[in-house]
Structures are given as C-alpha cells and as structure tokens.
Amino acid sequence: MSQNKIMPMSGFPEWLPQQRAVEAHFLDVIRRTFESHGFVGIETRAVEPVERLLGKGGDADKEIYGVSRLAADAEEKDSETALGLHFDLTVPFARYVVENSGKLVFPFRRYQIQKVWRGERPQDGRFREFVQADIDIVDAGELPFHYEVELPLVIADAFAELPIGPFRIQVNNRKIPEGFYLGLGLAPEQVVPVLRVVDKLDKVGPEAVTEMLTEAGLTAEQAAQCLALAEINAPDSSFADRVRALGVEHPVLEEGLQALSTVMDAAAEHAPGLLLADLKVARGLDYYTGTVYETQLVGQESYGSICSGGRYDALASDGKHTYPGVGISIGVSRLLAKLMPTLEASRMSPSVVLVALANEEERPRSMRIAAALRERGIACEVAPSAAKFGKQIKFADRRGIPFVWFPGSPADDGTPAVDQVKDLRSGEQVDADPATWTPPEADLHISVTTR
C-alpha cells in the first residue's frame, strides 16, 4: 500500500457516526412517509448505457461518469454498449418500467432511495456522489392530472416530520414558458435553449440572463418579455391573469395556464399555503413536459432547490407503448449538507444499554442478558473488555448509551443474583430483570433535534 498521506476526495461526502445517525433518521422518516402513501420501494442498477443517459438533455453530457474495465480496449469504451453511472433516478426508473411493464400493475407508485453520481464541480450543497429519495407515479397510455397535485402533498407530509424549518414548494408548468416563447415568435428549436437560460436566473441574475438571451438571438423586447414572465409568482391562481396581461397569446400557453391553475386551486383546498406558483421555475432536463416543482428552505432561498421534479410524458416508451409519469425527488445529501450544523442526534450508537463485565469469565452471562434484551426489541451491546466499571461507564457515556447494566452475583447463601441498571443521565440505579425491564419509549431509538 502507498505510504502517501490519505486525503479526502472533494464531492464525495462521508458522515461521522453521529451525522450518519441524523441521515438515517431522515431516510427512515422519508421511507415511512412514502410507504404510508402507498408507494412501493425498488432499487435499480447503478449503471445505464451512456447512449440512453446522453439523450436526456440538460448538461448530462458534462456530468456522466463513464464506467469501464481498466483493461478495456478503445473499441469497448467507444461502443454503443458503453456504460455510465446514473445521474438521477428518473431515467433508470423509466427504463425499469419499460422492461418490466408486463409484470407491473398500473398506475405504478414507486419510491427509490439510492446514490447517484454527477461529474460537476463540487460546491456548497453540490456533490459528485449523493443520495436522492424519489417518488414517481406512472400509468399506461395516459396519466390522470390529479397525480400532479398529490406529489407535493406527500413531500409536505415527509418534511412536516423532519426538523428542517419552513419550506416552500414552487411550481410551474413547462407549457407556460414554452407557449409564451412561441407566442413571442421564437422558433420551436429555440424554446429549450431559452428555458435553460431562464432556469439560471436565480444563479446569475437578470442582467446576465438578458445578455445570454440576446446572444441566443432574441431581440431586446423578447428578452424583456421572457424576464417579465419569469418574475411572476403568486400563492394562488391569480398568476394566470398577470400572464395574460403581458399580451402574449398561444394555445400551448393557455393550456399551461389552465393546468397550473388547477394544481394551485386543488393545493389550496388540501394544503393552503404549501405551493407558490413561480413562473421562473423551468427545470433544465428536456424530458419534463408539464408541471415542474422546486422546493426551497424559507430564508435560505439562495441555497437553491432541495427537492424538485415534474411530469414527463415520453421518457418511458418502447416505441409502441408510452408510460407517462410524474415524479419528485428529495436531494437528501444536499438538504443535510445545509442542515447538519444545526442538527444533533441523541446519540451516535443505536444501543440503549451497555451490559457491563465484572470479569472475562462472566462474558457468557452478560451475552445472555444482552440477548434477552434484544429479543424484546431493546438494542444493546456487551462491554468490549472487563475494565474497571468507571471506565466502562465512561465508554458508554462517550457513545451516548443512556443505560449501563450491571449483572449481579449470587450470594454465598444461594440467594439469586440481582441485576441493576444505571441511568447515566440521572444517576439513578435500580434493580432490573432482563425479561421485564423496559427503558422509556423516547430512549428506544435515536432522535434528532435542532441545536
């Protein structure tokens, strides 16, 4: 092995145990919430054909990590079977649906929590390897519109159980900017490039966006109208009148306005204040065709979106059958990177109890005590060595284990041994039986709180 100093790799986060406990809590809450809404879990392979990944628009060609054998020759690396790590979970899911369509029941509701990889420059909240938690609903042939309302409600339920503070889900419909641009006189092939430029508005500001739009061939008036559309937002369907007041007309635009108004009206009934119609939200990937979502932490909008997605009508297709879908993805690693300094796990170890050792000869008995506790759902471990009890207590305290169990010794007169358990927080020590003793409910599992 090389003796060179080991250095961390930028963009590949690794959590310490207590931080990992926070991440695990978030993932457990998200998974339970998804399942409570009827989503079933799947996992897809880490790699997809590069050709498929490259066809999904955005800057995917700059972000894909290629995968090949070290001994692969040039022909293998350049062939149509070349593989790349997936950069999101939607593209592999669409492939999964097509491959397994005959075995799935539609509409198919799935959740997927996995790592993804993107070869972009690491920066605040952006990584090369990170965890996403996705939900999608796909149907065969047609997808009812009401699912576009349902997904943000699921996210709201998950976030309500997590210590993330206030958040806002911004929503738009891709048909609104597309129809608007066509109504301005842009050619169809200009629409997607303009969408990508406008999607950078929060990152680079209106002046830079205006410059990029004029460089793309738009007139000053067209660029100004694009910015005017992007500036419109509203907590209800009143945004539609403001768009129409700009004087641009197109059938696709009107279709988008009606669709987004329906989403906003439905959300107002089920979760007032949850959604904000924000017409600068576009999403850079080409496969989105309808409603699109982005979620921001209130007061930390400059950080960008921590949860996003949208509707796609043609991503999952085998040429004969199409499976339209709508999905939304929580950027778990991105969210935690922002929140981790403010969060604290109650302990780093899942153990509730450390079973102490008087001496090594007593280890079998301590192991039996631990087994009895585990059978009743109480996580525990046996002390690593028969050190002085004071050192064993310090070991438990350093790991945040709240209780230490002291096995009793039989008396000389034959009286049965009596065990005791000590609460390290209060100092209270009481007699205990591993067949009946139960810790407080709050101690059974690691909890996460805000510092």
Side-chain angles (χ1 to χ4, degrees):
M1 179 181 290
S2 172
Q3 298 301 309
N4 293 335
K5 183 178 179 181
I6 297 176
M7 300 293 291
M9 293 181 65
S10 178
F12 295 84
E14 294 180 323
W15 301 120
L16 293 173
Q18 198 153 7
Q19 295 172 318
R20 169 57 185 162
V22 172
E23 181 186 47
H25 173 74
F26 270 60
L27 294 176
D28 287 343
V29 169
I30 292 168
R31 175 186 51 78
R32 288 198 307 268
T33 304
F34 289 171
E35 291 181 353
S36 74
H37 284 264
F39 291 86
V40 298
I42 69 166
E43 183 170 308
T44 57
R45 65 199 186 207
V47 297
E48 296 290 334
V50 170
E51 184 179 16
R52 177 168 179 78
L53 296 173
L54 286 174
K56 305 312 167 188
D59 294 324
D61 57 330
K62 302 176 182 178
E63 299 177 350
I64 296 171
Y65 277 109
V67 178
S68 63
R69 297 180 302 115
L70 289 178
D73 55 27
E75 182 179 354
E76 180 179 341
K77 291 181 179 180
D78 294 336
S79 72
E80 294 181 358
T81 59
L83 301 176
L85 292 172
H86 57 225
F87 60 84
D88 74 355
L89 298 179
T90 306
V91 172
F93 172 58
R95 185 266 311 159
Y96 176 95
V97 168
V98 173
E99 285 190 6
N100 297 283
S101 59
K103 304 172 185 177
L104 303 176
V105 178
F106 294 98
F108 181 50
R109 305 164 69 90
R110 88 82 166 85
Y111 77 85
Q112 195 170 344
I113 301 175
Q114 284 183 239
K115 287 187 175 181
V116 300
W117 296 266
R118 293 183 187 176
E120 59 183 357
R121 182 174 64 86
Q123 50 188 299
D124 187 22
R126 292 192 176 276
F127 305 105
R128 292 171 173 169
E129 178 184 72
F130 52 98
V131 177
Q132 285 190 332
D134 284 25
I135 48 174
D136 285 76
I137 303 175
V138 297
D139 211 339
E142 295 183 6
L143 180 74
F145 180 75
H146 60 80
Y147 292 126
E148 297 177 42
V149 181
E150 180 180 350
L151 291 196
L153 301 181
V154 179
I155 297 301
D157 281 355
F159 284 177
E161 292 191 41
L162 294 171
I164 70 171
F167 62 93
R168 180 184 299 112
I169 300 178
Q170 301 159 289
V171 61
N172 193 8
N173 190 293
R174 282 282 288 258
K175 293 179 181 179
I176 293 176
E178 290 175 3
F180 191 86
Y181 301 157
L182 293 173
L184 284 176
L186 273 64
E189 61 270 17
Q190 291 180 284
V191 169
V192 171
V194 171
L195 271 172
R196 292 177 185 166
V197 170
V198 175
D199 196 41
K200 300 176 182 179
L201 184 58
D202 281 339
K203 298 178 183 178
V204 301
E207 292 184 3
V209 167
T210 298
E211 182 178 348
M212 286 187 283
L213 290 175
T214 54
E215 289 176 354
L218 275 67
T219 66
E221 182 180 353
Q222 288 173 326
Q225 283 280 66
C226 290
L227 286 175
L229 178 71
E231 291 171 357
I232 294 175
N233 62 74
D236 50 35
S237 56
S238 63
F239 72 90
D241 290 336
R242 295 172 59 187
V243 174
R244 295 185 181 105
L246 295 177
V248 177
E249 296 181 356
H250 194 277
V252 175
L253 170 61
E254 190 59 35
E255 184 180 347
L257 291 174
Q258 293 178 9
L260 185 56
S261 295
T262 302
V263 170
M264 295 301 297
D265 291 341
E269 177 181 351
H270 296 286
L274 173 65
L275 299 187
L276 175 72
D278 191 335
L279 303 194
K280 69 175 177 294
V281 174
R283 307 299 303 149
L285 294 169
D286 296 352
Y287 55 69
Y288 291 121
T289 56
T291 303
V292 287
Y293 317 95
E294 287 191 351
T295 308
Q296 294 183 339
L297 300 173
V298 174
Q300 303 182 68
E301 288 81 2
S302 61
Y303 189 65
S305 180
I306 46 91
C307 177
S308 58
R311 176 167 180 140
Y312 47 91
D313 285 316
L315 182 60
S317 175
D318 59 8
K320 295 181 179 179
H321 304 92
T322 300
Y323 304 91
V326 59
I328 193 165
S329 172
I330 301 172
V332 179
S333 299
R334 177 170 172 76
L335 176 61
L336 285 173
K338 188 65 174 179
L339 298 178
M340 194 66 81
T342 69
L343 300 177
E344 185 173 33
S346 55
R347 57 183 187 265
M348 73 172 67
S349 170
S351 294
V352 182
V353 178
L354 176 76
V355 183
L357 274 177
N359 53 66
E360 282 300 326
E361 288 71 24
E362 292 293 319
R363 184 174 290 277
R365 182 159 183 261
S366 292
M367 292 178 68
R368 288 194 295 271
I369 292 171
L373 291 171
R374 292 190 194 104
E375 286 178 0
R376 300 175 47 243
I378 301 170
C380 60
E381 60 189 271
V382 178
S385 64
K388 293 181 179 180
F389 281 155
K391 289 186 176 180
Q392 294 184 54
I393 289 172
K394 286 183 179 179
F395 174 80
D397 189 51
R398 287 178 59 192
R399 302 188 68 203
I401 301 175
F403 296 95
V404 175
W405 192 284
F406 298 102
S409 299
D412 292 338
D413 61 3
T415 304
V418 177
D419 297 351
Q420 290 193 321
V421 64
K422 182 183 182 70
D423 186 331
L424 298 189
R425 297 157 299 186
S426 67
E428 182 182 14
Q429 186 166 323
V430 298
D431 293 349
D433 183 338
T436 58
W437 178 83
T438 301
E441 180 72 23
D443 289 327
L444 281 173
H445 303 286
I446 295 174
S447 60
V448 175
T449 57
T450 303
R451 297 180 191 272

